């Protein structure tokens, strides 16, 4: 029977999207794929239970040069078990193999009555806030000893410090052009919270606000004024959440708010865009939870400056090593962009039982040790989905064509196991599984940026350490919301990200009762 109207194309598009969704879910390796060998574990692209493929790949390990292989090849597993992983496999009765299981999610079970403040204080507890109070008061006293007494100043209290943070965080929800707009009579005024603290008092706290008041003889790093807070925040990330096996190294999207761009002069806009640091993260690709933060300062025009960081892949390699310093021995799969991807880095990570899949660029990547023939486009025209592969041991270099040549370096996925990229108009485009996995996990991070980057605090101070502080506070709140969505409290009251931020602001300002009975 002929279908009328646009029902046929629409059903086809929906079926393609459903197929893409199911394939993406199958790539969430960390969730339910591991288990005893059988139907559940046979589709795992990271392991092989085939003795034939094991012996075949062992021969490749002895070769000094990358051996060529043409695709597309037969579906199935052609990957050997990496030595680091094979050592952890345990034999159970009946010959079945048991693989280590990744337990994804929060490490602590929060009660259904947990408030937004409870989740926020998993990363910024009261002892950290009390330290801010002590350091701010110390700095105010020292400042006045040097420049004269300030009769309008009184020591800040813990309640005032929470309210101060609440006002700053409110700019991430309402995106006002200045935090001082809260007390104005304009469009961005907020009378409901303006009564908690007067504008002059807020400005005094903002003037003297500090995390570390004075430099000690042991502190030589440019981030000494915020390093204790970053260390405490990292401890909170590590102790409250277990990430999935698949993670991504990248720079989160930190754009100027359109309100700022519309109100700034051209000179002010140029000044605002010149940040003196670069912020990198290691992020769980299954949930979006940011597991680790690394801040690289522009401390001058030397080899370690930000300008050099943009042009020298070896400095990006340093960033990657810093982000993965706590990932050794955990069999993580790390996805990387062109500036980080390199053969030397991936081989070093493999020795630490960290496996990688990265996009490669002959212009941005460190291509040392890679065959030049794979870095140049072939003279003969190619069809979409066609690819070439070269292998050495566990490492595979893939050159895949889809309206352009894309190159991938991986030691985490079988080069002969096939996947597909599903397009709404083009349908299925064949590719190696590593390409499909890379596209799936990176697209999730793009969705995270689209959803959460607009909730970064809008306040843009001149001091670099304060810029870093407000960015990391924003990341902590996003992480708190992710934990909230994974808790029982979310099933009691389903708040959106904006509603969660509003609740947190009111609780910091003391406008909401956060007791368990509430």
């Amino acid at each position: 029977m002929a279908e009328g109207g646009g029902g046929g194309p629409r059903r086809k598009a929906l079926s393609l999207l459903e197929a893409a969704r199911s394939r993406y879910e199958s790539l969430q390796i960390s969730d339910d794929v591991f288990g005893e060998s059988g139907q559940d574990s046979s589709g795992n692209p990271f392991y092989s239970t085939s003795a034939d493929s094991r012996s075949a790949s062992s021969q490749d390990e002895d070769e000094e040069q990358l051996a060529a292989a043409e695709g597309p090849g037969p579906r199935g597993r052609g990957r050997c078990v990496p030595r680091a992983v094979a050592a952890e496999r345990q034999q159970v009765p009946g010959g079945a193999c048991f693989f280590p299981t990744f337990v994804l999610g929060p490490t602590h079970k929060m009660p259904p009555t947990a408030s937004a403040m409870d989740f926020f204080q998993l990363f910024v507890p009261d002892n950290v806030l009390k330290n801010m109070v002590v350091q701010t008061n110390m700095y105010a006293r020292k400042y006045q000893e040097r420049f004269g007494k300030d009769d309008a100043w009184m020591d800040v209290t813990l309640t005032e410090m929470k309210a101060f943070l609440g006002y700053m965080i409110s700019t991430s929800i309402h995106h006002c052009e200045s935090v001082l707009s809260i007390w104005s009579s304009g469009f961005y005024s907020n009378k409901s919270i303006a009564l908690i603290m007067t504008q002059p008092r807020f400005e005094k706290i903002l003037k003297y606000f500090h995390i570390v008041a004075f430099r000690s003889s042991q502190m030589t790093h440019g981030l000494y004024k915020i390093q204790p807070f970053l260390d405490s925040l990292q401890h909170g990330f590590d102790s409250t959440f277990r990430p999935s096996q698949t993670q991504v190294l990248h720079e989160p999207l930190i754009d100027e708010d359109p309100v700022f761009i519309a109100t700034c002069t051209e000179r002010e806009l140029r000044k605002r865009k010149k940040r003196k640091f670069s912020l990198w993260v290691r992020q769980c690709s299954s949930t979006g939870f940011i597991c680790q933060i690394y801040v690289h300062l522009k401390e001058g025009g030397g080899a370690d400056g930000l300008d050099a960081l943009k042009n020298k892949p070896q400095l990006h390699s340093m960033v990657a090593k810093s982000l993965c310093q706590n990932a050794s021995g955990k069999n993580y799969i790390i996805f990387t962009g062109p500036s980080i991807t390199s053969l030397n880095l991936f081989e070093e990570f493999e020795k630490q039982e960290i496996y990688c899949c990265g996009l490669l660029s002959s212009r941005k990547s460190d291509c040392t040790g890679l065959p030049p023939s794979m870095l140049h486009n072939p003279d003969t025209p190619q069809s979409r989905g066609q690819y070439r592969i070269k292998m050495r041991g566990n490492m595979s270099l893939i050159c895949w064509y889809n309206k352009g040549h894309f190159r991938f370096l991986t030691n985490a996925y079988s080069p002969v196991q096939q996947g597909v990229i599903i397009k709404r108009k083009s349908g299925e485009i064949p590719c190696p599984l590593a390409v499909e996995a890379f596209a799936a996990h990176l697209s999730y991070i793009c969705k995270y940026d689209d959803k959460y980057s607009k909730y970064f605090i809008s306040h843009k101070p001149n001091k670099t350490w304060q810029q870093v502080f407000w960015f990391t506070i924003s990341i902590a709140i996003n992480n708190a919301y992710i934990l909230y969505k994974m808790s029982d409290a979310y099933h009691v009251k389903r708040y959106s990200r904006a509603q969660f931020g509003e609740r947190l602001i009111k609780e910091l300002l003391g406008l909401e009762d956060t007791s368990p009975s509430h």
Side-chain angles (χ1 to χ4, degrees):
M1 181 183 295
E3 298 188 32
R10 178 177 177 82
R11 289 194 186 93
K12 182 178 180 181
L14 291 174
S15 64
L16 287 175
L17 290 176
E18 187 62 31
R21 186 179 296 109
S22 63
R23 287 195 63 83
Y24 174 73
E25 291 174 353
S26 71
L27 288 170
Q28 300 303 305
I29 303 171
S30 62
D31 295 338
D32 299 310
V33 177
F34 290 89
E36 296 183 355
S37 61
Q39 185 174 0
D40 289 338
S41 61
S42 62
N44 185 348
F46 197 49
Y47 299 97
S48 170
T49 55
S50 169
D52 295 335
S53 63
R54 168 64 179 164
S55 61
S57 296
S58 298
Q59 297 175 2
D60 293 337
E61 292 179 1
D62 298 330
E63 297 179 2
E64 295 183 356
Q65 300 296 328
L66 290 166
E70 294 295 332
R75 292 183 179 269
R77 299 177 307 280
R79 171 51 112 207
C80 70
V81 181
R83 282 191 286 273
V85 180
E88 295 187 10
R89 293 176 58 177
Q90 301 176 3
Q91 288 293 119
V92 296
C97 295
F98 178 76
F99 298 103
T101 301
F102 283 83
V103 181
L104 167 68
T107 58
H108 305 292
K109 184 176 177 62
M110 299 292 284
T113 56
S115 65
M117 187 70 170
D118 293 330
F119 289 96
F120 176 68
Q121 291 209 304
L122 291 174
F123 310 121
V124 188
D126 268 345
N127 66 313
V128 173
L129 297 176
K130 290 176 182 177
N131 179 69
M132 294 179 190
V133 171
V134 172
Q135 296 296 322
T136 298
N137 291 332
M138 287 175 57
Y139 181 80
R141 285 194 291 271
K142 194 69 175 179
Y143 184 93
Q144 294 174 50
E145 288 175 5
R146 182 174 181 182
F147 297 104
K149 185 172 178 57
D150 186 350
D151 294 329
W153 171 254
M154 294 186 299
D155 280 356
V156 67
T157 64
L158 178 61
T159 301
E160 287 181 314
M161 184 59 69
K162 289 182 178 180
F164 172 76
L165 292 178
Y167 283 126
M168 285 297 192
I169 294 170
S170 71
T171 65
S172 68
I173 305 298
H174 304 294
H175 298 290
C176 50
E177 67 272 19
S178 169
V179 65
L180 300 181
S181 299
I182 294 172
W183 293 273
S184 71
S185 58
F187 179 78
Y188 293 102
S189 64
N190 194 333
K191 300 300 182 182
S192 63
I193 65 175
L195 299 177
I196 303 301
M197 182 184 294
T198 64
Q199 180 177 340
R201 179 58 175 168
F202 175 86
E203 291 179 346
K204 286 297 181 183
I205 298 175
L206 181 61
K207 177 181 178 179
Y208 296 120
F209 175 69
H210 266 72
I211 307 296
V212 175
F214 309 109
R215 184 199 299 262
S216 68
S217 57
Q218 291 82 16
M219 292 181 178
T220 57
H221 193 270
L223 288 174
Y224 77 93
K225 285 196 173 185
I226 194 179
Q227 193 60 53
F229 175 77
L230 295 180
D231 294 340
S232 173
L233 202 62
Q234 186 59 57
H235 174 73
F237 292 167
D238 293 337
S239 62
T240 59
F241 184 79
R242 289 182 290 259
S244 65
Q245 185 185 21
T246 52
Q247 298 166 33
V248 181
L249 305 185
H250 73 117
E251 291 182 273
L253 183 63
I254 306 175
D255 286 338
E256 292 284 359
D257 191 82
V259 172
F260 285 100
I261 297 175
T263 57
C264 285
T265 64
E266 184 177 352
R267 180 180 179 182
E268 290 173 334
L269 187 59
R270 286 199 303 268
K271 184 178 179 181
R272 284 184 182 277
K273 288 189 175 181
K274 292 181 179 178
R275 286 200 307 269
K276 296 182 179 180
F277 65 94
S278 176
L279 192 147
W280 296 75
V281 300
R282 174 165 58 88
Q283 190 169 13
C284 169
S285 63
S286 296
T287 62
F289 189 94
I290 290 179
C291 308
Q292 191 158 350
I293 298 173
Y294 179 81
V295 180
H296 185 91
L297 279 182
K298 180 181 179 181
E299 298 174 332
D304 295 332
L306 185 59
D307 293 335
L309 180 66
K310 293 180 179 178
N311 301 314
K312 295 186 177 181
Q314 59 268 31
L315 292 181
H316 280 146
S317 176
M318 175 199 70
V319 171
K321 292 175 185 177
S322 298
L323 286 171
C324 295
Q325 60 185 351
N326 298 329
S328 298
K330 297 182 179 179
N331 292 315
Y332 286 154
I333 298 178
I334 304 295
F335 294 89
T336 63
S339 59
I340 294 179
T341 303
S342 74
L343 179 62
N344 293 333
L345 177 66
F346 283 14
E347 289 179 337
E348 184 174 342
F349 274 172
E350 186 173 1
K351 295 176 183 177
Q352 303 173 31
E353 301 178 36
I354 303 172
Y355 303 93
C356 305
C357 179
L359 182 64
L360 192 70
S361 168
S362 57
R363 183 172 60 90
K364 296 181 180 180
S365 304
D366 180 5
C367 298
T368 305
L370 298 176
S373 61
M374 292 289 286
L375 303 178
H376 298 90
N377 298 335
D379 297 329
T380 57
Q382 292 187 300
S383 58
R384 296 180 69 178
Q386 189 173 356
Y387 61 89
R388 298 177 295 148
I389 300 172
K390 283 185 179 290
M391 298 175 58
R392 184 177 68 191
N394 287 333
M395 201 68 64
S396 305
L397 176 58
I398 302 168
C399 181
W400 177 67
Y401 182 80
N402 179 27
K403 293 185 178 180
H405 290 88
F406 297 88
R407 295 169 177 86
F408 298 84
L409 188 66
T410 181
N411 57 1
Y413 292 93
S414 167
V416 298
Q417 189 171 10
Q418 286 198 46
V420 291
I421 299 293
I422 301 180
K423 300 289 185 180
R424 183 185 293 269
K425 295 182 179 179
S426 307
E428 293 188 357
I429 303 172
C431 66
L433 186 64
V435 178
E436 181 184 357
F438 184 90
H441 290 90
L442 265 293
S443 66
Y444 192 95
I445 297 304
C446 291
K447 292 177 182 178
Y448 173 90
D449 285 340
D450 292 341
K451 183 175 182 180
Y452 291 106
S453 63
K454 60 184 177 182
Y455 295 109
F456 277 81
I457 294 171
S458 299
H459 177 66
K460 300 295 188 295
N462 293 326
K463 296 179 181 179
T464 298
W465 74 265
Q466 290 186 3
Q467 294 175 19
V468 175
F469 175 77
W470 297 119
F471 282 138
T472 52
I473 282 285
S474 302
I475 290 174
I477 298 172
N478 287 339
N479 277 355
Y481 179 68
I482 291 172
L483 291 185
Y484 158 73
K485 288 193 69 175
M486 301 177 72
S487 72
D488 293 338
Y490 180 70
H491 301 291
V492 175
K493 209 72 170 177
R494 292 176 177 265
Y495 292 124
S496 66
R497 173 61 182 85
Q499 291 170 331
F500 182 85
E502 289 279 9
R503 296 285 300 182
L504 177 61
I505 293 165
K506 290 181 178 180
E507 290 165 15
L508 284 168
L509 293 171
L511 297 175
E512 293 286 344
D513 183 11
T514 60
S515 61
S517 60
H518 179 63

